[in-house]
Amino acid sequence: MEELLNRMPEFEKKIKSMMETIITNIVLLGQIPAPTFKEKARVTAFLERLAEFQVDECTTDGYRNPIGIIRGTSPNRPPIFVVAHMDTPFGYDVDHNFTIRENAIYGAGLLDNSVGVGVLASLPAIFRHLGLEFESDIVLAGVIQSIGKGNLRGIRHLLKTWSTPIRGAVCIESGELGRLNYYSDGMIRGEIKCSINRSGGRRQRFQPNAILVINEVINQILELRLPLKPRSKIIIGKIFGGLKHGQIAHEATLGFEIHSDSDEMVKSLYNDISDIVNGLGHEYEVRLELKTISNVRASRLRFNHPLVKSTIAIMRRLGLKPISEPSESELSIFLSRKIPAVTLGISYGESYQQRSSVIKIEPMFRGIAQIVGVIAAIDSGVCDE
Amino acid sequence: MNRDWLKKNTFHCSAFGDLKRLVELKSKKGLTISLCLPTLNEEKTIGKELVILKSELMTRYPLLDEIVVVDSGSTDDTRSIARTFGADVYKADDILPHLEPYKGKGENLWKALYITKGDIIVYLDADIKNIHHRFVYGLIGPLLLHDHIKYVKAFYDRPIAIGKNKIRPTGGGRVTELVIRPLFSLFFPDLTQILQPLSGEYAGFRDVFERIPFPIGYGIETSMILDIYHKWGLDVIAQVDLEKRIHRNQDTKALGKMAFAILKTFFSRTVNLGLINFNTPLHDTMIQYKLVKSEIQPDLLTIEGLERPPIIELPEYRQRFNRKAS
């Protein structure tokens, strides 16, 4: 391990000398819009890039997740997965053309997760440039249908159908450099929709207003008592409704997430919200529906797991201070299948989730060096306990 | 009209995607290739063009021997960004400084002939939002694969950027359809087969470019086609489909100025060829109108139609490239 740690500054320097190739991959792939469920064009381009970089096998699985496999030197070793989600929150109508200035790249989707995808496509060239060969096969997987309503379908399918054991995994996110995720909260992402029938039924003197009904739902959710242990929270993240300033809203929708480190608590809170929805729907005589969009189970590595310890050592050697929070992403699916995994960020950014997101260029090379270091650490056996 | 040309000399960039083969051909023929990007306030796009072209066509496949930016005096960060990403950056006024300086794309392209070294020169506009290396290898391919071709012109779909973050799928090419194509139809029907004569992307052999004059401004694309057609014929010209190109939209008034410059260039060429005669000289001022505080006022722009001579007529150029006067 010490030998690997000593190489980290050299990795960073050599990776920096590949700046043009890495940024080119980020741009060529990131400029292809890939809203969730419509990732096909980006998937095709991703596979083409992998093929151009002479990856041994380039294919898609049964769910159309694009996969590149770099063959390892030891056929008996299980593979190491490196994963980045292909989809972005922006549709085809949004200009995905990036601008590159001296220190940063600007554009829609860069931080979620176009830089991650570009770096994933660059890894074969980076490994070659660093002279790295691995015992394990390295499976570079760009997974589709990850965010929002995608509900991590791509990674779920990939792992469900993968027939052999997996040695360990690194999930790549564009930002934020310094993140080290090794545990996931239990989470349910839900949507509450209020619809008021405009034509049928008896006329009410005071017509219910969908926005006000949703407002009442929020009030009642806020009255729920959340325990400090197990640690739990409800995030009200999204709301929209109504049509005109002067017209009572006939439709309104609320998006929320329940997080807890206990799956039971997540279920219990979800049931509480379900009761609120049923009660208010009845009292206001409106159609109030609760729908689950996505869910993940709580899972974690121990802080003293060798993968976590090695990752922290690598990050510290590169001058990074690891910051750990729960992450409900591809990581959750690996951990729930007892596959050791971490999520790492590539660089520092601004304006997350906005069309004008920005990612800094210079820190990227440190971010990529840590990813390469962790892959090398897994290959050296830190997950083989 | 020679209708065969469209079939024989029209290519798609995908035919030249085997970059290894292109590099081998270039090496076998002992050729060098320069890319020139003329710029004026292109800070939003120049970095991306340089990064991608350098990565794909210099580092990964050594098709280009140099990338040169010739700048007309940008007031934004164009030059510093270009330097950061490894281009050789020149201010147009600093090249051949003893000559009276002019401002314009044609001036930059002409001066680029003096500072670049390549046997093949690729000219690429610096405002391409969806830059891809096919824009360059697509233009170089026909020159390396077909010995009779000396000049390659781009054509593409033209979606245009409208406002912030929005793209309109079709549009553009108004000056081509309303000015150039009618003129070509009237005077040079063969040339109507060139689908986008005003595209800013073209490549050719130095031997060709050094022997034709360069208008300073917008007329450069039109004059280049007319001069090459007149001197060497249609068969040395090819066109290549570069697929989609996203660029800035220009308002009608700006296009009017462009059309004026192109018309001046066109008429001066047709007069020189003896195709038409004017009894009175053409004026130099484009007159448009604007509304200022409820009053209609003329908006005047003088476009003199200045041209640089074939650069081979310059002694310092002949000396630099060991050429004899033509």
Side-chain angles (χ1 to χ4, degrees), chain A residues 19-21 23-24 27-28 31 49 52-54 93-95 97-102 355 361, chain B residues 43-44 47-48 51-52 54-56 60 77 80-81 84-85 129-130 132-133 165-167 246:
Chain A
M19 177 178 75
E20 282 96 3
T21 302
I23 297 180
T24 295
V27 173
L28 292 182
Q31 290 191 159
R49 286 305 277 177
E52 278 178 37
F53 285 102
Q54 286 105 43
D93 60 328
V94 172
D95 184 354
N97 290 298
F98 300 159
T99 294
I100 301 175
R101 300 189 61 115
E102 285 105 323
R355 292 174 181 191
I361 293 173
Chain B
E43 65 178 6
K44 285 190 176 164
K48 190 162 68 177
V51 165
I52 291 178
K54 201 172 161 207
S55 161
E56 302 304 293
R60 294 188 61 216
D77 291 334
S80 63
I81 293 172
T84 300
F85 293 111
K129 293 183 92 178
N130 64 323
H132 185 279
H133 44 297
N165 298 318
K166 292 280 177 188
I167 290 171
I246 301 173

Side-chain angles (χ1 to χ4, degrees), chain B residues 5-283:
Chain B
W5 183 89
L6 192 63
K7 255 186 204 168
K8 282 188 196 163
N9 286 28
T10 301
F11 303 95
H12 189 274
C13 59
S14 59
F16 311 109
D18 184 350
L19 297 181
K20 202 172 156 206
R21 186 178 172 215
L22 291 188
V23 171
E24 282 167 5
L25 266 173
K26 175 195 138 181
S27 165
K28 196 174 157 192
K29 293 185 172 190
L31 294 170
T32 52
I33 304 177
S34 303
L35 169 67
C36 168
L37 302 163
T39 56
L40 176 63
N41 295 330
E42 310 288 5
E43 65 178 6
K44 285 190 176 164
T45 42
I46 188 70
K48 190 162 68 177
E49 290 204 19
L50 290 171
V51 165
I52 291 178
L53 298 176
K54 201 172 161 207
S55 161
E56 302 304 293
L57 302 178
M58 287 182 96
T59 308
R60 294 188 61 216
Y61 296 96
L63 191 61
L64 295 175
D65 295 282
E66 61 178 347
I67 300 180
V68 171
V69 167
V70 183
D71 185 67
S72 295
S74 294
T75 51
D76 64 7
D77 291 334
T78 300
R79 287 195 299 277
S80 63
I81 293 172
R83 269 189 212 103
T84 300
F85 293 111
D88 298 327
V89 182
Y90 297 85
K91 278 175 87 172
D93 291 356
D94 295 340
I95 304 168
L96 299 164
H98 60 287
L99 300 177
E100 188 184 345
Y102 298 129
K103 292 275 181 245
K105 181 184 168 185
E107 172 83 346
N108 293 15
L109 303 188
W110 185 74
K111 285 187 167 174
L113 290 173
Y114 185 73
I115 44 122
T116 52
K117 303 174 193 80
D119 304 301
I120 289 173
I121 319 284
V122 184
Y123 291 119
L124 206 65
D125 277 351
D127 66 344
I128 305 172
K129 293 183 92 178
N130 64 323
I131 186 68
H132 185 279
H133 44 297
R134 69 172 183 273
F135 282 86
V136 173
Y137 71 67
L139 291 168
I140 294 172
L143 296 170
L144 292 177
L145 264 76
H146 303 278
D147 288 339
H148 66 286
I149 293 171
K150 302 291 176 199
Y151 174 72
V152 182
K153 185 93 188 155
F155 71 98
Y156 29 65
D157 299 332
R158 290 166 54 97
I160 51 179
I162 46 163
K164 229 180 176 183
N165 298 318
K166 292 280 177 188
I167 290 171
R168 199 168 70 198
T170 56
R174 285 166 283 176
V175 179
T176 295
E177 297 307 325
L178 300 175
V179 179
I180 296 289
R181 200 170 303 290
L183 284 173
F184 280 179
S185 302
L186 286 165
F187 294 95
F188 307 101
D190 278 351
L191 294 180
T192 58
Q193 298 171 95
I194 299 176
L195 298 174
Q196 271 157 12
L198 295 183
S199 68
E201 288 71 45
Y202 30 90
F205 280 91
R206 176 179 290 279
D207 299 350
V208 169
F209 290 134
E210 68 188 7
R211 286 176 163 78
I212 55 173
F214 278 53
I216 300 306
Y218 282 128
I220 177 68
E221 279 83 18
T222 315
S223 80
M224 208 175 255
I225 290 173
L226 290 172
D227 288 334
I228 293 172
Y229 175 60
H230 178 62
K231 264 180 182 284
W232 292 281
L234 192 60
D235 279 344
V236 304
I237 302 174
Q239 62 184 347
V240 62
D241 183 351
L242 297 182
E243 296 183 341
K244 193 168 78 170
R245 180 207 197 281
I246 301 173
H247 60 113
R248 280 185 311 234
N249 191 22
Q250 296 206 59
D251 64 31
T252 314
K253 246 182 151 177
L255 293 180
K257 288 170 185 136
M258 185 197 285
F260 182 87
I262 289 167
L263 285 166
K264 276 204 81 168
T265 304
F266 184 87
F267 286 126
S268 88
R269 287 292 183 283
T270 45
V271 167
N272 289 345
L273 292 171
L275 287 175
I276 50 173
N277 271 317
F278 292 109
N279 291 329
T280 53
L282 299 175
H283 294 282

Side-chain angles (χ1 to χ4, degrees), chain A residues 147-167:
Chain A
I147 57 178
K149 291 184 179 174
N151 190 19
L152 302 166
R153 280 190 184 87
I155 187 71
R156 285 180 206 269
H157 186 276
L158 178 62
L159 297 189
K160 195 174 156 191
T161 53
W162 193 267
S163 56
T164 62
I166 293 168
R167 203 172 179 192

Side-chain angles (χ1 to χ4, degrees), chain A residues 181-218:
Chain A
N181 306 115
Y182 57 93
Y183 55 93
S184 303
D185 275 352
M187 186 274 287
I188 290 183
R189 182 177 300 146
E191 208 167 75
I192 300 167
K193 188 174 180 184
C194 178
S195 316
I196 292 163
N197 193 344
R198 271 167 276 187
S199 52
R202 68 189 161 82
R203 289 185 69 85
Q204 290 169 285
R205 183 153 188 257
F206 296 102
Q207 269 202 328
N209 182 325
I211 291 175
L212 296 183
V213 174
I214 288 292
N215 183 54
E216 188 52 31
V217 172
I218 294 172

